[in-house]
Amino acid sequence: MAPEHYFSELPESELKFRQIHVALAGQVRELITSNGIFSPERIDAGTQVLLANTPPAPPGGNLLDLGCGWGPIALTLAVQSPHATVWAVDVNSRALDLVRRNAETMGVTNINAVTPEDVPSDLCFMTIRSNPPIRVGKNELHGMLEFWLPRLDLESDAWLVVQRNLGSDSLHRWLESWLPTDFTTSRAATNKGYRVLKVRRK
């Protein structure tokens, strides 16, 4: 059998839940993860860098966590902005189930954990936050960003965290060359070997 990846749509390994304690949105929480997803033991270093180097989420509108995994970014956005609608998007069905379970545990009711196909095509977003799945390959990654970044609202920002040795600088150059002229891309932070890239729609 081929190796199972966190970006597998339907993980085939036997489901094994795991309780973890994490600092999320200002509190230590007991949440649930499992095998067959990205970073089941902890909030991974890249997501930690992203959460530490992005401003509070907009108070309302539609907010997107692209490649949500078990939900640390989406859950943070939902707590920060209880009047917003947070779209936690992933292809991994097991990850989406975990987001729903963790939202229920935290008493969060403003998250929609869905596959990309289940997001209404006319929605635009007040912010996009993502630790994108670099290991899917450059073509797949570029296609994903080409689909979602143009759905930023005017005067809104996307924040992406990418490990420096996995191509953050080349991704920065590609974004500058590919995005329309009403977008700008800048390096917002560097920490622990990661870059946080800010994409703004003017």
Side-chain angles (χ1 to χ4, degrees), residues 94-135:
R94 189 172 292 181
L96 295 174
D97 179 62
L98 292 167
V99 175
R100 298 181 192 113
R101 290 171 182 266
N102 288 325
E104 185 175 359
T105 296
M106 291 175 55
V108 169
T109 59
N110 58 328
I111 290 181
N112 290 327
V114 296
T115 61
E117 299 77 29
D118 290 329
V119 179
S121 60
D122 59 344
L123 275 189
C124 291
F125 301 98
M126 299 291 290
T127 193
I128 298 173
R129 311 281 169 103
S130 183
N131 182 356
I134 298 298
R135 296 185 188 278

Side-chain angles (χ1 to χ4, degrees), residues 47-61:
T47 297
Q48 290 181 35
V49 169
L50 183 72
L51 292 172
N53 290 279
T54 47

Side-chain angles (χ1 to χ4, degrees), residues 4-190:
E4 184 170 278
H5 298 287
Y6 61 84
F7 44 84
S8 300
E9 293 183 20
L10 296 168
E12 296 179 0
S13 56
E14 181 184 356
L15 176 62
K16 297 178 182 177
F17 288 119
R18 175 185 307 209
Q19 296 280 347
I20 61 171
H21 290 83
V22 293
L24 200 66
Q27 292 186 30
V28 175
R29 321 264 182 177
E30 183 177 297
L31 300 177
I32 192 170
T33 69
S34 77
N35 58 319
I37 64 165
F38 177 64
S39 191
E41 300 90 4
R42 65 187 70 86
I43 300 177
D44 66 283
T47 297
Q48 290 181 35
V49 169
L50 183 72
L51 292 172
N53 290 279
T54 47
N62 292 292
L63 318 180
L64 173 63
D65 173 8
L66 182 58
C68 61
W70 57 262
I73 296 172
L75 294 165
T76 299
L77 292 174
V79 171
Q80 289 178 345
S81 303
H83 301 295
T85 300
V86 178
W87 294 84
V89 172
D90 206 295
V91 298
N92 186 317
S93 59
R94 189 172 292 181
L96 295 174
D97 179 62
L98 292 167
V99 175
R100 298 181 192 113
R101 290 171 182 266
N102 288 325
E104 185 175 359
T105 296
M106 291 175 55
V108 169
T109 59
N110 58 328
I111 290 181
N112 290 327
V114 296
T115 61
E117 299 77 29
D118 290 329
V119 179
S121 60
D122 59 344
L123 275 189
C124 291
F125 301 98
M126 299 291 290
T127 193
I128 298 173
R129 311 281 169 103
S130 183
N131 182 356
I134 298 298
R135 296 185 188 278
V136 297
K138 184 178 292 186
N139 290 340
E140 190 79 14
L141 174 67
H142 288 182
M144 184 175 73
L145 297 176
E146 287 170 354
F147 182 79
W148 293 103
L149 289 178
R151 296 175 68 172
L152 269 177
D153 274 319
L154 296 176
E155 299 183 359
S156 297
D157 303 314
W159 303 82
L160 314 173
V161 64
V162 182
Q163 199 166 351
R164 193 168 55 206
N165 65 6
L166 290 181
S168 62
D169 293 345
S170 63
L171 181 64
H172 187 165
R173 290 190 295 271
W174 175 78
L175 287 167
E176 288 184 319
S177 67
W178 172 77
L179 283 166
T181 55
D182 59 334
F183 287 78
T184 60
T185 305
S186 59
R187 186 190 304 166
T190 299

